[in-house]
Amino acid sequence: TIIKPQYALERLRDAIAKDGRDTYISTEVGQHQMWAAQFLPFEKPNRWLTSGGLGTMGYGLPAAIGAQMAHPDALCIDVAGEASILMNIQEMSTAVQHRLPVKIFILNNQWMGMVRQWQEFLIFLKELIFSFLETLRKPQVFTTQCFKVTSQP
């Protein structure tokens, strides 16, 4: 059975609400980042720790560790994809060494989803542009009259 990532994040949202602690959410970079922004609540400022559009795979786990160190009683969760978590998986040893109860919520879509999404979009765009250029090469496209201006009125 496949669990949709949106459903998984809705369940996480419900669990966060039941927990009641101050919550910090960090993300890696990818589709899971977009879904987390859409499906998780952010009621207070500075609780959404993300690299934004800077494309930093591996940001989320160290950010969650830092948030947990700064707020030991808070619930700190890194929402990650199966590929981006690997960029800094070694930081789990830091969390263990400092006995930090950081949570890692991994959404596994079997590939680098954002990378694949962009690749498919760019292939579509390339085919669209190629098709447009092929249309321009046809002589009937240019059936306008041209005039050469030789003097001013």
Side-chain angles (χ1 to χ4, degrees):
T1 302
I2 295 175
I3 300 172
K4 298 262 185 200
Q6 296 87 344
Y7 177 76
L9 285 164
E10 286 173 346
R11 301 298 305 188
L12 177 60
R13 179 187 64 212
D14 295 343
I16 290 169
K18 285 180 186 173
D19 185 274
R21 284 185 282 171
D22 199 13
T23 303
Y24 293 81
I25 304 287
S26 66
T27 64
E28 309 292 337
V29 168
Q31 288 177 322
H32 60 276
Q33 178 185 31
M34 304 300 119
W35 294 323
Q38 292 171 345
F39 288 91
L40 297 179
F42 301 100
E43 305 295 329
K44 298 178 184 173
N46 303 318
R47 302 303 192 270
W48 172 239
L49 309 172
T50 186
S51 65
L54 299 177
T56 310
M57 290 176 77
Y59 168 85
L61 182 55
I65 290 170
Q68 192 73 72
M69 288 190 98
H71 307 280
D73 296 327
L75 176 61
C76 297
I77 304 169
D78 175 31
V79 177
E82 82 283 0
S84 61
I85 190 65
L86 296 176
M87 299 300 161
N88 271 332
I89 195 71
Q90 71 277 6
E91 294 301 333
M92 283 185 70
S93 65
T94 302
V96 170
Q97 178 184 358
H98 294 282
R99 298 175 189 252
L100 299 171
V102 173
K103 312 296 184 256
I104 304 171
F105 192 83
I106 298 176
L107 296 170
N108 183 355
N109 61 0
Q110 305 297 315
W111 54 64
M112 293 183 186
M114 185 70 81
V115 172
R116 182 176 175 161
Q117 181 178 330
W118 275 106
Q119 287 172 338
E120 288 174 353
F121 173 72
L122 292 175
I123 288 170
F124 166 76
L125 196 58
K126 177 182 168 188
E127 290 172 357
L128 183 68
I129 291 170
F130 182 76
S131 173
F132 176 71
L133 292 175
E134 283 298 310
T135 303
L136 289 181
R137 290 183 186 169
K138 296 177 182 172
Q140 63 269 28
V141 172
F142 299 103
T143 58
T144 60
Q145 292 182 350
C146 298
F147 299 96
K148 182 176 181 182
V149 177
T150 55
S151 64
Q152 292 183 348

